Amino acid sequence: MNEKFTLTGGARIGTANASYPLADLYVDKEVLKINASIVGNLIFQPKDIISIEEYHSIPIIGNGIKINHRIEKYNSKVIFWTFKNPATVINEIKKTGFLENTKSEISTEDLKILERQNQGGFPIKKPVVVIFVVLWNLLFLSDIIPFFLQDKPEGFPIGIGMNIAIGLAFLSSILLLISEKFRSLILKEGREFDDIKKFAYLLAFVSGMMFVQFTIMNL
């Protein structure tokens, strides 16, 4: 019996998809976790699982395992993508003893898991998302609306509004990487930086590159 099994891959939770290598699978005797950054951070106890089955979509790149579960707060469609043979992945999960763990005692750790499940899979506070999306759209519209009000608009509407929006995304990603206080404002209670670490690094890289490019274009 293996003590634990870990694997890097991708994940689909509902209609949201995290491509490889933005998702991680962790399994031991007590829990099964799928960390797909902002797409979703899911944690299951053995009793939460109905079944784990092979899932095939596109040959080679569309193979994975489907987690059929009982958690109402989670989306019913949970798939972990992997380049490995799905049957092999399921067999490795079985070796941890997770699927055969039928303990009835409820521990303090179990209560923490239940609390986290009741929060749903999305790790960021919803008011934060709403504020960010509204502010982002207002900044973009500040460039787009004047652009299309021109008699003969030419080029692409990149102005100070878009630059500020991209800069805001870059600044937010940097603060996520370095500031615990900022993380506490952004993340739901009980969530950790590891839950969104890959997303934060990706956002910092992409938004940083875009900010530099847009700044040069506006000079």
Side-chain angles (χ1 to χ4, degrees), residues 2-209:
N2 298 333
E3 291 186 1
K4 65 179 181 180
F5 173 63
T6 61
L7 185 63
T8 297
R12 172 172 292 175
I13 300 173
T15 58
N17 195 70
S19 302
Y20 180 94
L22 296 178
D24 294 304
L25 174 70
Y26 172 91
V27 191
D28 61 26
K29 186 177 179 181
E30 306 295 335
V31 295
L32 182 154
K33 301 177 184 179
I34 293 179
N35 183 354
S37 199
I38 64 167
V39 169
N41 308 136
L42 310 182
I43 182 169
F44 301 98
Q45 298 180 88
K47 65 182 180 180
D48 301 324
I49 303 299
I50 298 171
S51 64
I52 300 177
E53 61 187 61
E54 296 181 34
Y55 188 88
H56 301 279
S57 177
I58 304 172
I60 301 178
I61 62 172
N63 294 327
I65 59 171
K66 187 173 187 293
I67 312 293
N68 300 308
H69 61 87
R70 299 183 175 89
I71 307 301
E72 294 183 0
K73 294 288 186 177
Y74 291 170
N75 197 290
S76 60
K77 188 170 187 178
V78 178
I79 299 166
F80 183 83
W81 303 115
T82 175
F83 290 116
K84 286 192 173 184
N85 187 320
T88 301
V89 175
I90 293 174
N91 189 49
E92 291 295 327
I93 293 173
K94 288 179 179 178
K95 288 180 181 179
T96 66
F98 173 78
L99 294 175
E100 286 73 41
N101 187 0
T102 57
K103 69 173 186 178
S104 58
E105 299 86 0
I106 297 178
S107 65
T108 302
E109 190 63 30
D110 292 332
L111 295 176
K112 290 180 181 179
I113 292 173
L114 290 172
E115 182 179 355
R116 181 158 173 168
Q117 288 174 340
N118 286 331
Q119 292 179 344
F122 192 65
I124 299 176
K125 297 173 182 176
K126 288 185 178 179
V128 173
V129 176
V130 172
I131 292 171
F132 188 86
V133 170
V134 170
L135 185 58
W136 178 278
N137 286 329
L138 287 174
L139 289 168
F140 267 72
L141 288 173
S142 69
D143 283 343
I144 292 173
I145 292 176
F147 175 79
F148 284 106
L149 288 177
Q150 298 176 25
D151 293 334
K152 296 180 180 180
E154 296 181 359
F156 189 74
I158 298 175
I160 190 171
M162 288 191 180
N163 249 18
I164 293 174
I166 298 298
L168 177 64
F170 179 67
L171 177 61
S172 298
S173 65
I174 297 301
L175 288 174
L176 281 172
L177 293 173
I178 65 175
S179 173
E180 291 186 8
K181 289 184 178 180
F182 187 75
R183 292 172 200 162
S184 66
L185 292 174
I186 298 296
L187 297 175
K188 291 179 179 177
E189 187 176 353
R191 301 302 175 103
E192 301 174 352
F193 175 60
D194 281 347
D195 295 336
I196 61 165
K197 180 171 65 177
K198 289 185 178 182
F199 168 76
Y201 281 114
L202 179 63
L203 179 62
F205 175 76
V206 173
S207 60
M209 294 290 289

